[in-house]
Amino acid sequence: QPDDRGLIGDVPVLRVTRRGPEAVHFVPAALEPGAEVLLSLDWERRFDHMQQHSGQHLISAIAEQMFGFKTTSWELGRQRSVIELDTPLVAAEQVEALEKSVNEKIRDRVPVTVRELAADDPEIETVRSRGLPDDHAGPVRVVDIQGIDSNLCCGTHVSNLSDLQVIKLLGVEKGKKNKTNLVFLVGNRVLKSIEQSHSTEKALTSLLKNGPGEHIEAVKRLQSSVKLLQKNNLNLLRDIAVLIARDFKSKPAPKQLFVLHRKEGDSEFMNIIANEIGTEETLLFLTVGDEKEAGLFLLAGPVEAVENLGPRVAELLGGKGAGKRGRFQGKAAKMSRRGEVQALLQEFISHQNPEA
């Protein structure tokens, strides 16, 4: 269970941890030894943890009673909690039955009590437990849900199951080593989840212009439309790449350096241009993406030239890349330095061809 938060006087408590029998409080300012202070607890946080923790005890106990599923661990998360069950499979019907049973116990208003036993009390052997910490000292706390469960626990709990309000099992997920994770919400978290879901539903109703019952079909239609548009856009980009290459090749005296930037495009777009132009004699520097931020680049041309220039181009663009057989491509973080790359390539060509 996560630790409590609050104030010691007016000093916030950042963290609380246990060292043996002592609770160590971490604070951002020194406190005067022996001073009398008012302790203020973040009750909303504490009560949330109480609800989730007592809910876990109840779910674990009923899951073992009904189906023989033992709890091997659990996690109290910030938004949802998870119980790890020692079983490779939990059927949907079992989840439904478990949820029904635990909520019946809540409506029965079953008391929850805390007892302290001596560490050598033989009764400890009859209580559900995963063992004590190596540095444990002092009495042992036992949390009892009357007639349902007795469990060794150092956490905070409600005094009656009615304080849990309601438990919602969100379903199961595959765990590790043939185990299953059961996801759940208790009490106020259920109310917050419903509120959030309702707000999302209202927003989708406004955006999709239809009722909640039609949201799924509307989203499926939008997904199909987007896929079709993406396919058409890809085909157009391919056609544009071919036309750009043909235009370059149709000129009477093609230059030895070809430079092109296009905001819309991808690696395939650049490679089509390189394929169509040919890289035996022409050095190509192609980029796609935002002109002043990040994007993709391709350097293509004679093998020796690309091997020599590729890493330097990547360095200038603040990116990384790799290449082989006359192609060097990768990601660029500083597209605004394309001009420096072009100057580098132009200088390289000038040295290769002094007469140019």
Side-chain angles (χ1 to χ4, degrees), residues 2 189 196-197 199 201 251 253 289 296:
R189 292 196 182 191
Q196 184 179 26
S197 296
S199 297
E201 186 178 275
K251 294 178 180 178
L296 303 174

Side-chain angles (χ1 to χ4, degrees), residues 96-264:
E96 183 179 353
L98 179 58
E99 180 179 281
K100 181 179 179 182
S101 181
V102 295
N103 281 294
E104 285 175 352
K105 302 301 182 186
I106 292 173
R107 291 195 296 273
D108 288 342
R109 300 183 297 279
V110 178
V112 180
T113 56
V114 176
R115 296 180 289 140
E116 289 190 353
L117 302 177
D120 58 353
D121 193 316
E123 186 181 347
I124 292 177
E125 299 299 324
T126 67
V127 177
R128 189 160 61 90
S129 169
R130 295 203 307 274
L132 292 171
D134 293 336
D135 62 346
H136 174 79
V140 176
R141 293 176 81 247
V142 178
V143 177
D144 292 314
I145 304 177
Q146 185 176 298
I148 298 174
D149 184 49
S150 289
N151 199 343
L152 294 189
C153 185
C154 62
T156 54
H157 290 269
V158 299
S159 60
N160 192 288
L161 289 187
S162 62
D163 290 331
L164 301 184
Q165 299 168 271
V166 64
I167 289 177
K168 179 60 186 173
L169 304 182
L170 298 179
V172 294
E173 300 171 348
K174 186 176 181 180
K176 55 187 178 182
K177 297 181 180 178
N178 290 322
K179 296 181 182 180
T180 299
N181 294 331
L182 178 64
V183 185
F184 71 95
L185 303 173
V186 183
N188 289 333
R189 292 196 182 191
V190 178
L191 301 179
K192 289 179 181 178
S193 178
I194 292 173
E195 181 181 0
Q196 184 179 26
S197 296
H198 183 62
S199 297
T200 302
E201 186 178 275
K202 285 176 64 178
L204 286 172
T205 296
S206 176
L207 289 169
L208 299 173
K209 310 299 182 186
N210 58 16
E214 301 170 303
H215 285 174
I216 294 176
E217 290 302 318
V219 171
K220 286 181 179 179
R221 289 194 297 271
L222 284 173
Q223 287 178 326
S224 296
S225 297
V226 169
K227 287 181 180 178
L228 181 60
L229 288 171
Q230 288 175 332
K231 183 178 179 180
N232 291 338
N233 183 56
L234 183 60
N235 289 333
L236 288 172
L237 277 174
R238 289 170 177 165
D239 291 341
I240 290 171
V242 172
L243 290 172
I244 288 172
R246 289 178 180 176
D247 178 66
F248 175 78
K249 292 173 69 176
S250 67
K251 294 178 180 178
K255 297 180 179 178
Q256 292 178 296
L257 176 63
F258 179 76
V259 177
L260 176 75
H261 173 79
R262 187 179 181 87
K263 187 174 183 179
E264 305 83 8

